[in-house]
Short mmCIF file of all heavy atoms in Angstrom, two decimals:
data_model
loop_
_atom_site.label_atom_id
_atom_site.label_comp_id
_atom_site.label_asym_id
_atom_site.label_seq_id
_atom_site.Cartn_x
_atom_site.Cartn_y
_atom_site.Cartn_z
N ASN A 1036 -18.47 -25.20 47.27
CA ASN A 1036 -18.07 -24.11 46.39
C ASN A 1036 -16.53 -23.91 46.60
O ASN A 1036 -16.05 -22.80 46.52
CB ASN A 1036 -18.79 -22.78 46.65
CG ASN A 1036 -20.20 -22.81 46.14
OD1 ASN A 1036 -20.62 -23.83 45.63
ND2 ASN A 1036 -20.82 -21.72 46.32
N THR A 1037 -15.78 -25.02 46.52
CA THR A 1037 -14.42 -24.93 46.88
C THR A 1037 -13.62 -25.70 45.84
O THR A 1037 -14.00 -26.82 45.56
CB THR A 1037 -14.09 -25.44 48.27
OG1 THR A 1037 -14.75 -24.64 49.29
CG2 THR A 1037 -12.55 -25.27 48.60
N MET A 1038 -12.46 -25.12 45.44
CA MET A 1038 -11.47 -25.89 44.62
C MET A 1038 -10.22 -26.07 45.35
O MET A 1038 -9.88 -25.32 46.32
CB MET A 1038 -11.24 -25.17 43.33
CG MET A 1038 -10.54 -23.94 43.42
SD MET A 1038 -10.35 -22.99 41.82
CE MET A 1038 -11.87 -22.09 41.77
N TYR A 1039 -9.44 -27.23 45.03
CA TYR A 1039 -8.20 -27.42 45.77
C TYR A 1039 -7.05 -27.73 44.79
O TYR A 1039 -7.36 -28.06 43.69
CB TYR A 1039 -8.39 -28.68 46.69
CG TYR A 1039 -9.49 -28.60 47.64
CD1 TYR A 1039 -10.83 -29.17 47.30
CD2 TYR A 1039 -9.32 -28.04 48.91
CE1 TYR A 1039 -11.86 -29.06 48.29
CE2 TYR A 1039 -10.41 -27.84 49.84
CZ TYR A 1039 -11.67 -28.49 49.42
OH TYR A 1039 -12.65 -28.38 50.30
N LEU A 1040 -5.87 -27.47 45.31
CA LEU A 1040 -4.62 -27.91 44.48
C LEU A 1040 -3.73 -28.57 45.59
O LEU A 1040 -3.13 -27.88 46.33
CB LEU A 1040 -4.00 -26.67 43.86
CG LEU A 1040 -2.83 -27.05 42.96
CD1 LEU A 1040 -3.35 -27.83 41.75
CD2 LEU A 1040 -2.10 -25.81 42.54
N GLN A 1041 -3.69 -29.83 45.39
CA GLN A 1041 -2.68 -30.63 46.28
C GLN A 1041 -1.33 -30.62 45.51
O GLN A 1041 -1.31 -31.15 44.38
CB GLN A 1041 -3.18 -32.03 46.45
CG GLN A 1041 -2.26 -32.88 47.26
CD GLN A 1041 -2.07 -32.33 48.77
OE1 GLN A 1041 -3.05 -32.01 49.35
NE2 GLN A 1041 -0.77 -32.41 49.17
N MET A 1042 -0.25 -30.16 46.06
CA MET A 1042 1.00 -29.96 45.52
C MET A 1042 1.98 -30.83 46.28
O MET A 1042 2.24 -30.56 47.43
CB MET A 1042 1.43 -28.58 45.49
CG MET A 1042 0.52 -27.62 44.77
SD MET A 1042 1.07 -25.96 44.69
CE MET A 1042 1.07 -25.43 46.36
N ASN A 1043 2.49 -31.86 45.62
CA ASN A 1043 3.53 -32.70 46.26
C ASN A 1043 4.85 -32.77 45.47
O ASN A 1043 4.93 -32.19 44.39
CB ASN A 1043 3.03 -34.20 46.15
CG ASN A 1043 1.67 -34.44 46.90
OD1 ASN A 1043 1.43 -33.76 48.02
ND2 ASN A 1043 0.91 -35.35 46.42
N SER A 1044 5.94 -33.16 46.12
CA SER A 1044 7.16 -33.17 45.49
C SER A 1044 7.57 -31.75 44.93
O SER A 1044 7.96 -31.61 43.91
CB SER A 1044 7.29 -34.25 44.40
OG SER A 1044 7.01 -35.47 44.91
N LEU A 1045 7.35 -30.82 45.84
CA LEU A 1045 7.52 -29.45 45.39
C LEU A 1045 9.00 -29.08 45.02
O LEU A 1045 9.96 -29.66 45.60
CB LEU A 1045 7.00 -28.47 46.40
CG LEU A 1045 5.51 -28.30 46.39
CD1 LEU A 1045 5.07 -27.70 47.65
CD2 LEU A 1045 5.06 -27.39 45.23
N LYS A 1046 9.24 -28.35 44.06
CA LYS A 1046 10.50 -27.90 43.48
C LYS A 1046 10.73 -26.37 43.67
O LYS A 1046 9.64 -25.64 43.64
CB LYS A 1046 10.71 -28.31 42.12
CG LYS A 1046 10.48 -29.81 41.86
CD LYS A 1046 10.55 -29.97 40.34
CE LYS A 1046 10.32 -31.46 39.93
NZ LYS A 1046 10.30 -31.78 38.53
N PRO A 1047 11.97 -25.88 43.82
CA PRO A 1047 12.14 -24.45 43.88
C PRO A 1047 11.52 -23.63 42.68
O PRO A 1047 11.01 -22.55 42.83
CB PRO A 1047 13.64 -24.40 43.85
CG PRO A 1047 14.12 -25.66 44.52
CD PRO A 1047 13.16 -26.68 43.98
N GLU A 1048 11.48 -24.32 41.54
CA GLU A 1048 10.91 -23.64 40.32
C GLU A 1048 9.37 -23.62 40.41
O GLU A 1048 8.70 -22.97 39.60
CB GLU A 1048 11.24 -24.37 39.01
CG GLU A 1048 11.08 -25.92 39.01
CD GLU A 1048 12.33 -26.63 39.36
OE1 GLU A 1048 13.05 -26.28 40.40
OE2 GLU A 1048 12.62 -27.62 38.69
N ASP A 1049 8.72 -24.20 41.46
CA ASP A 1049 7.28 -24.05 41.67
C ASP A 1049 6.94 -22.80 42.39
O ASP A 1049 5.81 -22.41 42.69
CB ASP A 1049 6.72 -25.18 42.46
CG ASP A 1049 6.82 -26.54 41.73
OD1 ASP A 1049 6.54 -26.54 40.49
OD2 ASP A 1049 7.15 -27.61 42.32
N THR A 1050 8.04 -22.14 42.95
CA THR A 1050 7.80 -20.88 43.67
C THR A 1050 7.15 -19.79 42.76
O THR A 1050 7.60 -19.51 41.63
CB THR A 1050 9.13 -20.17 44.11
OG1 THR A 1050 9.80 -21.14 45.06
CG2 THR A 1050 9.03 -18.85 44.79
N ALA A 1051 6.04 -19.29 43.27
CA ALA A 1051 5.24 -18.31 42.47
C ALA A 1051 4.08 -17.90 43.38
O ALA A 1051 3.75 -18.40 44.46
CB ALA A 1051 4.63 -18.98 41.23
N VAL A 1052 3.33 -16.91 42.84
CA VAL A 1052 2.01 -16.52 43.38
C VAL A 1052 1.00 -17.35 42.64
O VAL A 1052 0.98 -17.38 41.38
CB VAL A 1052 1.68 -15.07 43.27
CG1 VAL A 1052 0.26 -14.75 43.73
CG2 VAL A 1052 2.81 -14.21 44.04
N TYR A 1053 0.13 -18.11 43.34
CA TYR A 1053 -0.84 -19.00 42.77
C TYR A 1053 -2.26 -18.25 42.83
O TYR A 1053 -2.68 -17.81 43.92
CB TYR A 1053 -0.82 -20.34 43.54
CG TYR A 1053 0.32 -21.24 43.13
CD1 TYR A 1053 1.59 -20.88 43.50
CD2 TYR A 1053 0.17 -22.26 42.27
CE1 TYR A 1053 2.69 -21.63 43.14
CE2 TYR A 1053 1.20 -23.12 41.91
CZ TYR A 1053 2.48 -22.73 42.33
OH TYR A 1053 3.55 -23.54 42.08
N TYR A 1054 -2.94 -18.29 41.74
CA TYR A 1054 -4.26 -17.65 41.69
C TYR A 1054 -5.22 -18.74 41.31
O TYR A 1054 -5.07 -19.49 40.28
CB TYR A 1054 -4.28 -16.60 40.56
CG TYR A 1054 -3.27 -15.44 40.76
CD1 TYR A 1054 -2.00 -15.50 40.30
CD2 TYR A 1054 -3.70 -14.36 41.43
CE1 TYR A 1054 -1.08 -14.52 40.51
CE2 TYR A 1054 -2.83 -13.24 41.64
CZ TYR A 1054 -1.59 -13.36 41.20
OH TYR A 1054 -0.72 -12.28 41.37
N CYS A 1055 -6.33 -18.72 41.97
CA CYS A 1055 -7.43 -19.52 41.53
C CYS A 1055 -8.36 -18.71 40.61
O CYS A 1055 -8.37 -17.56 40.60
CB CYS A 1055 -8.33 -20.03 42.70
SG CYS A 1055 -9.01 -18.80 43.80
N THR A 1056 -9.05 -19.41 39.74
CA THR A 1056 -9.88 -18.82 38.73
C THR A 1056 -11.15 -19.55 38.55
O THR A 1056 -11.23 -20.73 38.66
CB THR A 1056 -9.06 -18.64 37.43
OG1 THR A 1056 -9.84 -17.93 36.54
CG2 THR A 1056 -8.76 -20.01 36.80
N LEU A 1057 -12.20 -18.87 38.10
CA LEU A 1057 -13.42 -19.39 37.68
C LEU A 1057 -13.80 -18.78 36.35
O LEU A 1057 -13.80 -17.60 36.20
CB LEU A 1057 -14.59 -19.12 38.66
CG LEU A 1057 -15.84 -19.97 38.55
CD1 LEU A 1057 -15.56 -21.41 38.78
CD2 LEU A 1057 -16.93 -19.36 39.50
N ARG A 1058 -14.14 -19.65 35.38
CA ARG A 1058 -14.51 -19.19 34.00
C ARG A 1058 -15.92 -19.30 33.82
O ARG A 1058 -16.64 -20.40 33.92
CB ARG A 1058 -13.81 -20.06 33.00
CG ARG A 1058 -14.00 -19.61 31.53
CD ARG A 1058 -13.04 -20.37 30.61
NE ARG A 1058 -11.63 -20.14 31.03
CZ ARG A 1058 -10.64 -20.87 30.49
NH1 ARG A 1058 -10.85 -21.88 29.81
NH2 ARG A 1058 -9.30 -20.56 30.86
N ILE A 1059 -16.59 -18.10 33.62
CA ILE A 1059 -18.01 -18.04 33.49
C ILE A 1059 -18.31 -17.34 32.14
O ILE A 1059 -17.95 -16.19 31.97
CB ILE A 1059 -18.58 -17.13 34.67
CG1 ILE A 1059 -18.27 -17.80 36.00
CG2 ILE A 1059 -20.10 -17.10 34.53
CD1 ILE A 1059 -18.64 -16.88 37.24
N TRP A 1060 -19.00 -18.09 31.33
CA TRP A 1060 -19.35 -17.61 30.00
C TRP A 1060 -18.12 -17.09 29.21
O TRP A 1060 -18.21 -15.94 28.65
CB TRP A 1060 -20.45 -16.53 30.07
CG TRP A 1060 -21.74 -17.05 30.52
CD1 TRP A 1060 -22.28 -16.94 31.76
CD2 TRP A 1060 -22.68 -17.93 29.75
NE1 TRP A 1060 -23.52 -17.60 31.84
CE2 TRP A 1060 -23.65 -18.19 30.66
CE3 TRP A 1060 -22.62 -18.50 28.48
CZ2 TRP A 1060 -24.83 -19.09 30.23
CZ3 TRP A 1060 -23.70 -19.27 28.11
CH2 TRP A 1060 -24.73 -19.58 28.95
N GLY A 1061 -16.98 -17.72 29.32
CA GLY A 1061 -15.74 -17.38 28.67
C GLY A 1061 -14.99 -16.21 29.28
O GLY A 1061 -13.92 -15.98 28.88
N LEU A 1062 -15.49 -15.67 30.35
CA LEU A 1062 -14.69 -14.72 31.19
C LEU A 1062 -14.06 -15.30 32.39
O LEU A 1062 -14.66 -16.13 33.04
CB LEU A 1062 -15.62 -13.58 31.58
CG LEU A 1062 -16.22 -12.74 30.48
CD1 LEU A 1062 -17.18 -11.66 31.12
CD2 LEU A 1062 -15.07 -12.11 29.68
N ASP A 1063 -12.73 -14.98 32.63
CA ASP A 1063 -12.03 -15.47 33.78
C ASP A 1063 -12.03 -14.55 34.94
O ASP A 1063 -11.77 -13.34 34.76
CB ASP A 1063 -10.59 -15.73 33.37
CG ASP A 1063 -10.48 -16.93 32.47
OD1 ASP A 1063 -11.22 -17.88 32.59
OD2 ASP A 1063 -9.52 -16.91 31.60
N TYR A 1064 -12.53 -15.04 36.07
CA TYR A 1064 -12.48 -14.21 37.34
C TYR A 1064 -11.37 -14.80 38.25
O TYR A 1064 -11.26 -16.03 38.32
CB TYR A 1064 -13.83 -14.33 37.97
CG TYR A 1064 -14.92 -13.77 37.11
CD1 TYR A 1064 -15.58 -14.48 36.14
CD2 TYR A 1064 -15.40 -12.45 37.35
CE1 TYR A 1064 -16.65 -13.92 35.40
CE2 TYR A 1064 -16.45 -11.91 36.69
CZ TYR A 1064 -17.06 -12.66 35.63
OH TYR A 1064 -18.04 -12.00 34.85
N TRP A 1065 -10.76 -13.94 38.89
CA TRP A 1065 -9.46 -14.29 39.60
C TRP A 1065 -9.50 -14.04 41.10
O TRP A 1065 -10.08 -13.09 41.60
CB TRP A 1065 -8.28 -13.45 38.96
CG TRP A 1065 -8.09 -13.78 37.59
CD1 TRP A 1065 -8.53 -13.01 36.57
CD2 TRP A 1065 -7.34 -14.80 36.99
NE1 TRP A 1065 -8.09 -13.44 35.29
CE2 TRP A 1065 -7.37 -14.59 35.60
CE3 TRP A 1065 -6.53 -15.80 37.52
CZ2 TRP A 1065 -6.76 -15.54 34.70
CZ3 TRP A 1065 -5.96 -16.72 36.64
CH2 TRP A 1065 -6.08 -16.51 35.20
N GLY A 1066 -8.87 -15.02 41.89
CA GLY A 1066 -8.75 -14.82 43.27
C GLY A 1066 -7.50 -13.71 43.41
O GLY A 1066 -6.88 -13.33 42.51
N GLN A 1067 -7.33 -13.44 44.66
CA GLN A 1067 -6.29 -12.41 45.11
C GLN A 1067 -4.80 -12.96 45.01
O GLN A 1067 -3.80 -12.16 44.96
CB GLN A 1067 -6.54 -11.87 46.42
CG GLN A 1067 -6.12 -12.74 47.64
CD GLN A 1067 -7.07 -13.87 47.97
OE1 GLN A 1067 -8.04 -14.09 47.24
NE2 GLN A 1067 -6.83 -14.56 49.02
N GLY A 1068 -4.71 -14.34 44.94
CA GLY A 1068 -3.38 -14.88 44.89
C GLY A 1068 -2.81 -15.28 46.30
O GLY A 1068 -3.03 -14.58 47.19
N THR A 1069 -2.02 -16.36 46.29
CA THR A 1069 -1.46 -16.76 47.53
C THR A 1069 0.02 -17.11 47.22
O THR A 1069 0.24 -17.85 46.18
CB THR A 1069 -2.16 -17.92 48.21
OG1 THR A 1069 -1.55 -18.16 49.47
CG2 THR A 1069 -2.22 -19.15 47.34
#
């Protein structure tokens, strides 16, 4: 029950809060952000 995001060659413009999401029946549910 896990999703991953492997991020390589990172750039300063990638700086942000990253949120995971799961779409269930058209509704988006969000993680707390990292």
Side-chain angles (χ1 to χ4, degrees):
N1036 284 2
T1037 303
M1038 67 183 88
Y1039 304 96
L1040 186 68
Q1041 177 66 44
M1042 303 184 293
N1043 299 327
S1044 302
L1045 282 160
K1046 304 175 181 179
E1048 50 264 42
D1049 295 318
T1050 295
V1052 177
Y1053 284 70
Y1054 297 90
C1055 59
T1056 185
L1057 192 68
R1058 184 170 299 167
I1059 304 172
W1060 294 106
L1062 294 178
D1063 290 327
Y1064 296 83
W1065 299 95
Q1067 77 280 7
T1069 185

